[in-house]
Amino acid sequence: MIQPALRADDRGERLRLLHVHAHPDDESSKGAATTARYVAEGAEVMVATCTGGERGSILNPNMDRPDVLANIAEIRRQEMDAARRILGIEQVWLGFVDSGLPEGDPLPPLPEGSFGTLDPEEACLPLVEVVRRFRPHVMTTYDERGGYPHPDHIMCNRISVAAYEHAADPDFHPELGAAWQVPKLYYSFGFHLDKTTAIHGAMTSRGLKSPYEERLRDWKPDPEMENRITTRVPCGEYFEVRDRALIAHATQIDPEGFFFQVPLELQQEAWPTEDWELVRTTVATRLPEDDLFAGIAVPVAG
C-alpha cells in the first residue's frame, strides 16, 4: 500500500528514488533503512537489480543443500520478491548474468558474457530506459570501487554513471524514452571505518564481544574515502525493516550470522544513520545533508 506523501517536488509530484544494485540481497544490505524511511514518507522507491545472482555462493549453512543449489536462480528471484514486499518497493531486473567472485592468484578470467565483462556504454541501455520511464529525483549506486572489489559491483557503478549521463541526452537512443535529467546521484557508504569503530566501541563498552575486532585490527585507514561522505540519513527506527528484508534472502543471510551479532538497540544508539556521498547534483543544496531529497522536496499542503 502506498503511503500518503508527506513531501513532493515543486510540481507537486510524489518523490521518486531509484537504487541500482548488482545482485538480489544488495538492496537489503545497503541502504535499506533509508529506503524504508522514504517509503513510509510516501516516496516511490524502485530497485534496479543488474544480475540474478546466479553465481553467488550459498552463505547460509541451513540453505546449503543440493536442491537449493540446483534451483538457485529461481530461489534468488523468490527471495528478492519477498524482500521487495517487506520494503514496499518496486523492483526491476536488468537481465545481466552474475560474474561470480573470482578467487586465486592470479585471478581467473570472468565467465564470458557475464556482467563484469561488458561494455558499460552498451550495458547501460536497459538502465537508461528505466531512468526515463521511472523519472527518479534521486539515483543511488556504489562508488567507483564497487564498495568492495566485486566485478559486478564495479560494473554497477559504471553503468549507473553512464545511465545518469545518457538518460538526460535527448539524442541518445531516443527509442528508450523521453530524456530525463536525474537531479541527484549518490554513492552509498556501508561499513566505513568511523561507523565500524563506533559500533565496535559500543559493544566492548558494554562487555559484549564485537564481531568487528579482527576486521578493525586489519583495517587500513583511508581518510580520503571517509571524508567523501556528504549525507547522513537518520533511519534507525527502520533498522528492523532492513533486517527483515535481509532475512528474506535466506540463501545469503544466516539469521544467526555476522549481520545480527550487534543488538538492534545498540546499532540505533551508536550509529542511527545510513551514509552517502553526493556526486552529481543539478539542484542547490547545503552540505552536509541529512536527506537525499534536500533541495528537491517541499511539504505537501495540508
Side-chain angles (χ1 to χ4, degrees):
M1 181 178 69
I2 298 177
Q3 299 297 320
L6 302 182
R7 300 183 299 165
D9 66 12
D10 58 5
R11 295 172 295 184
E13 293 189 11
R14 193 181 291 267
L15 299 175
R16 296 179 297 275
L17 169 61
L18 173 65
H19 296 302
V20 189
H21 285 291
H23 311 105
D25 79 78
D26 289 327
E27 84 297 326
S28 298
S29 62
K30 302 166 184 66
T34 298
T35 293
R37 170 189 158 171
Y38 288 130
V39 168
E41 294 178 358
E44 296 180 45
V45 182
M46 176 179 283
V47 165
T49 311
C50 294
T51 78
E54 305 90 346
R55 290 192 170 95
S57 301
I58 297 175
L59 303 178
N60 180 354
N62 297 318
M63 295 290 288
D64 194 2
R65 309 190 307 263
D67 60 311
V68 173
L69 185 60
N71 297 285
I72 189 65
E74 179 56 30
I75 289 172
R76 295 207 69 183
R77 293 182 77 90
Q78 294 171 1
E79 292 171 347
M80 180 69 247
D81 197 48
R84 176 192 61 76
R85 292 194 299 271
I86 291 166
L87 292 171
I89 61 173
E90 299 177 65
Q91 188 261 343
V92 62
W93 300 95
L94 297 187
F96 299 111
V97 177
D98 189 348
S99 302
L101 184 59
E103 295 179 325
D105 186 14
L107 292 173
L110 298 179
E112 185 177 354
S114 63
F115 184 47
T117 68
L118 303 180
D119 177 357
E121 289 293 303
E122 290 294 322
C124 77
L125 297 182
L127 185 55
V128 169
E129 189 278 329
V130 170
V131 170
R132 289 177 174 175
R133 170 165 46 88
F134 184 60
R135 302 185 304 131
H137 298 92
V138 173
M139 184 173 167
T140 81
T141 187
Y142 318 130
D143 64 55
E144 66 281 357
R145 304 179 187 183
Y148 78 107
H150 190 299
D152 288 341
H153 284 242
I154 294 169
M155 183 59 71
C156 182
N157 164 272
R158 291 173 178 168
I159 73 160
S160 297
V161 173
Y164 175 87
E165 295 173 348
H166 291 319
D169 179 0
D171 295 325
F172 184 83
H173 287 273
E175 75 279 5
L176 298 177
W180 175 257
Q181 174 65 68
V182 181
K184 299 177 85 175
L185 173 67
Y186 287 89
Y187 292 164
S188 63
F189 276 72
F191 277 89
H192 53 84
L193 181 58
D194 287 348
K195 176 178 180 177
T196 307
T197 301
I199 295 175
H200 171 78
M203 290 285 282
T204 57
S205 70
R206 290 163 173 77
L208 302 173
K209 181 175 175 57
S210 169
Y212 301 115
E213 183 173 355
E214 183 175 343
R215 180 180 294 192
L216 284 170
R217 187 166 53 243
D218 298 333
W219 200 308
K220 296 179 181 179
D222 187 351
E224 181 179 350
M225 181 62 72
E226 292 279 327
N227 291 336
R228 287 170 53 171
I229 294 172
T230 63
T231 310
R232 303 183 190 275
V233 177
C235 52
E237 65 186 287
Y238 298 100
F239 286 177
E240 182 271 336
V241 181
R242 172 204 66 191
D243 288 356
R244 285 194 288 118
L246 265 173
I247 290 170
H249 291 282
T251 59
Q252 303 298 296
I253 302 297
D254 180 357
E256 305 298 323
F258 175 83
F259 276 105
F260 304 101
Q261 293 179 20
V262 179
L264 193 65
E265 298 79 7
L266 187 149
Q267 295 180 51
Q268 292 168 326
E269 178 183 332
W271 205 274
T273 67
E274 289 179 336
D275 306 325
W276 309 82
E277 178 191 7
L278 177 63
V279 289
R280 306 280 179 87
T281 182
T282 65
V283 299
T285 185
R286 180 178 298 176
L287 301 180
E289 302 172 316
D290 61 3
D291 180 13
L292 299 185
F293 292 103
I296 298 170
V298 297
V300 172

